[in-house]
């Protein structure tokens, strides 16, 4: 029986150091991850310099751990993939240089993965989802609606004009003293809060198109907290939960409204045979959002997919899988390909050369 290709994936673009090994038949053979959250929590956000140093400290042993979990050696890999951007450049360089060195030493192809493509294709690791699908990509640094037409083929329908959805969660949580990362903290506090108590803005929701805006939210929450201070002398636990629930509802309403517009455009432009709505990125871990998107998809006759929670936030398996999708269509990258702090997904560059697999495309 033919052996399925196997790829090692490395992720170092933000505050998670991760290495994972996946096979072409969608088995996650190893998954090792070091979250730097504790190192950054005291600052209320990611400190790039601390992140880059921590990747240097942890990446090597995570790669060893992944190989040992899979009971494999470097020579068993068919390619080495790493996030080459977008992200904090110090961290991206650590992953890219490590992957290139391993690829060179082992004589294997190197695959430079766009981190956003990692999120975008991650749902296909755990479910069979046909192209084209509509993707709501919501993370700490990005908030976009895209039609995923194929590997490396993306049509952006809209994106945020200021903050990303995860950033809105993080900034609001910091303001309320709920901790970092903000998304899980707000979600937890919101469970016992009243989402209707505070009337927070939902920018752009009555406008056509699929763009997002979240920057006004933090200011509105700050004003509400200041009003409580002057009216009752402080923000009590009950208020915090209500503010968290109201924030989550406002962000959710914006995401749902914009996605509704995108569904109409996706159905009209693509008339897909198997219409599907997919959510990916760290904010996709939010249970309330997952439920609301499930309902929205049902209302419009779309299937709905969300990756398991561990695959929503940054991890190595999504990078290994995106590498696999590219490897399977004959793509790899030269060892002088750059680390890119900015790299829009709809500008995913065609490979400079293929590694000669059947079906290789320029
Ligand atoms: O994809 P990710 O791990 O890193 C980036 O590529 O940015 O996303 C991290 C973001 C953070 O802003 C975090 O607050 C948010 O995802 N997040 C959540 C939840 N879990 C993580 N937001 C809302 N609800 C959650 N449960
Ligand atoms: Zn991410």
């Amino acid at each position: 029986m033919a052996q399925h290709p196997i790829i090692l994936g490395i992720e170092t673009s933000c505050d998670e150091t991760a290495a994972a090994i996946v096979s072409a038949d969608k088995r996650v053979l190893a998954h090792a991850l070091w979250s730097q959250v504790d190192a950054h929590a005291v600052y209320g956000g990611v400190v790039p310099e601390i992140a880059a140093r921590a990747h240097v400290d942890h990446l090597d042993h995570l790669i060893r751990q992944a190989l040992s979990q899979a009971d494999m050696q470097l020579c068993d890999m068919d390619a080495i993939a790493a996030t080459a951007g977008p992200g904090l450049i110090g961290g991206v360089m650590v992953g890219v240089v490590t992957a290139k060195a391993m690829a060179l030493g082992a004589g294997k192809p190197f695959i430079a993965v766009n981190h956003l493509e990692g999120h975008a294709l991650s749902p296909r690791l755990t479910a069979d989802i046909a192209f084209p699908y509509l993707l709501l990509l919501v993370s700490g640094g990005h908030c976009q609606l895209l039609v995923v037409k194929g590997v490396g083929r993306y049509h952006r329908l809209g994106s945020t004009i200021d903050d990303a959805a995860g950033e809105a969660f993080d900034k609001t949580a910091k303001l309320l003293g709920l901790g970092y990362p903000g998304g899980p903290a707000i979600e937890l506090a919101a469970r016992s809060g009243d989402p209707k108590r505070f009337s927070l803005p939902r920018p752009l929701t009555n406008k056509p198109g699929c763009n997002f805006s979240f920057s006004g939210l933090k200011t509105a929450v700050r004003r509400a907290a200041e009003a409580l201070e002057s009216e009752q002398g402080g923000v009590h636990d009950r208020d915090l939960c209500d503010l968290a629930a109201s924030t989550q509802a406002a962000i959710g309403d914006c995401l749902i409204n914009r996605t509704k517009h995108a569904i109409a455009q996706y159905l009209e432009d693509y008339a897909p045979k198997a219409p599907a709505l997919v959510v990916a990125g760290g904010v996709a871990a939010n249970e309330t959002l997952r439920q609301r998107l499930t309902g929205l998809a049902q209302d419009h006759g779309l299937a709905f997919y969300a990756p398991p929670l561990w695959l929503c936030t940054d991890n190595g398996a999504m990078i290994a899988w995106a590498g696999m999708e590219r490897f399977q269509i004959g793509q790899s990258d030269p060892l002088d390909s750059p680390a890119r702090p900015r790299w829009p997904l709809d500008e995913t560059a065609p490979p400079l050369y293929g590694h000669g697999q059947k079906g290789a495309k320029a």
Side-chain angles (χ1 to χ4, degrees):
M1 200 176 75
Q3 174 85 34
H4 291 285
I6 291 169
I7 290 186
L8 170 72
I10 292 171
E11 160 59 34
T12 56
S13 67
C14 192
D15 60 346
E16 255 95 30
T17 318
I21 299 172
V22 303
S23 62
D25 60 340
K26 302 192 176 187
R27 282 178 304 139
V28 179
L29 303 170
H31 164 47
L33 184 143
W34 171 262
S35 171
Q36 305 175 6
V37 161
D38 291 346
H40 301 289
V42 281
Y43 303 98
V46 181
V47 183
E49 178 74 19
I50 294 176
R53 286 167 188 245
H55 290 306
V56 173
D57 291 346
H58 294 286
L59 184 57
D60 287 11
H61 85 79
L62 287 167
I63 292 170
R64 263 201 298 274
Q65 194 180 319
L67 288 168
S68 132
Q69 260 178 38
D71 196 17
M72 288 178 168
Q73 296 179 334
L74 187 51
C75 58
D76 298 319
M77 302 299 113
D78 289 277
I80 316 295
T83 296
L88 301 172
I89 194 64
V92 173
M93 285 166 67
V94 174
V96 163
V97 169
T98 304
K100 284 179 178 179
M102 292 174 76
L104 182 66
K108 306 286 180 179
F110 162 68
I111 303 176
V113 172
N114 181 313
H115 180 85
L116 300 177
E117 183 159 53
H119 280 303
L121 298 176
S122 65
R124 282 167 50 90
L125 174 58
T126 49
D128 293 324
I129 310 169
F131 301 122
Y133 55 85
L134 177 63
L135 172 72
L136 173 64
L137 202 171
V138 269
S139 69
H142 299 272
C143 186
Q144 310 182 347
L145 277 155
L146 302 135
V147 178
V148 182
K149 298 186 285 183
V151 178
R153 297 174 55 228
Y154 301 89
H155 173 196
R156 187 158 25 139
L157 302 182
S159 50
T160 183
I161 57 169
D162 41 56
D163 291 349
E167 206 174 348
F169 274 110
D170 293 338
K171 285 181 174 173
T172 310
K174 187 173 178 181
L175 176 85
L176 296 175
L178 289 173
Y180 174 84
I186 296 242
E187 180 168 32
L188 186 66
R191 275 193 205 138
S192 32
D194 173 5
K196 297 212 169 83
R197 177 163 163 208
F198 296 96
S199 153
L200 299 173
R202 274 106 168 123
L204 299 182
T205 51
N206 51 4
K207 300 261 166 45
C210 307
N211 283 343
F212 305 86
S213 167
F214 294 106
S215 66
L217 190 62
K218 194 184 69 171
T219 316
V221 173
R222 179 185 292 123
R223 289 216 183 99
E226 284 166 358
L228 290 170
E229 290 276 357
S230 61
E231 282 159 21
Q232 57 182 47
V235 179
H236 308 309
D237 286 354
R238 171 87 244 155
D239 306 321
L240 279 179
C241 292
D242 292 345
L243 278 167
S246 303
T247 299
Q248 184 172 264
I251 295 174
D253 282 353
C254 294
L255 295 174
I256 293 293
N257 175 275
R258 308 282 78 197
T259 306
K260 203 186 282 180
H261 284 215
I263 288 175
Q265 197 177 333
Y266 160 66
L267 293 177
E268 192 179 321
D269 291 357
Y270 291 88
K273 281 205 192 81
L277 172 64
V278 174
V279 66
V283 180
N286 187 283
E287 195 46 51
T288 308
L289 178 64
R290 290 162 87 98
Q291 278 167 15
R292 295 187 69 180
L293 289 169
T294 306
L296 181 71
Q298 259 167 11
D299 291 348
H300 292 82
L302 275 70
F304 176 67
Y305 299 94
L309 296 191
W310 70 270
L311 202 52
C312 290
T313 45
D314 291 349
N315 63 86
M318 71 183 202
I319 303 306
W321 179 251
M324 181 66 77
E325 295 255 29
R326 292 195 47 212
F327 182 83
Q328 288 183 303
I329 56 170
Q331 297 184 356
S332 63
D333 296 280
L335 288 176
D336 61 356
S337 49
R340 304 172 65 168
R342 290 181 190 283
W343 188 0
L345 187 50
D346 40 358
E347 280 173 29
T348 295
L352 295 179
Y353 65 69
H355 55 79
Q357 267 211 339
K358 209 167 114 221
K361 288 190 188 112

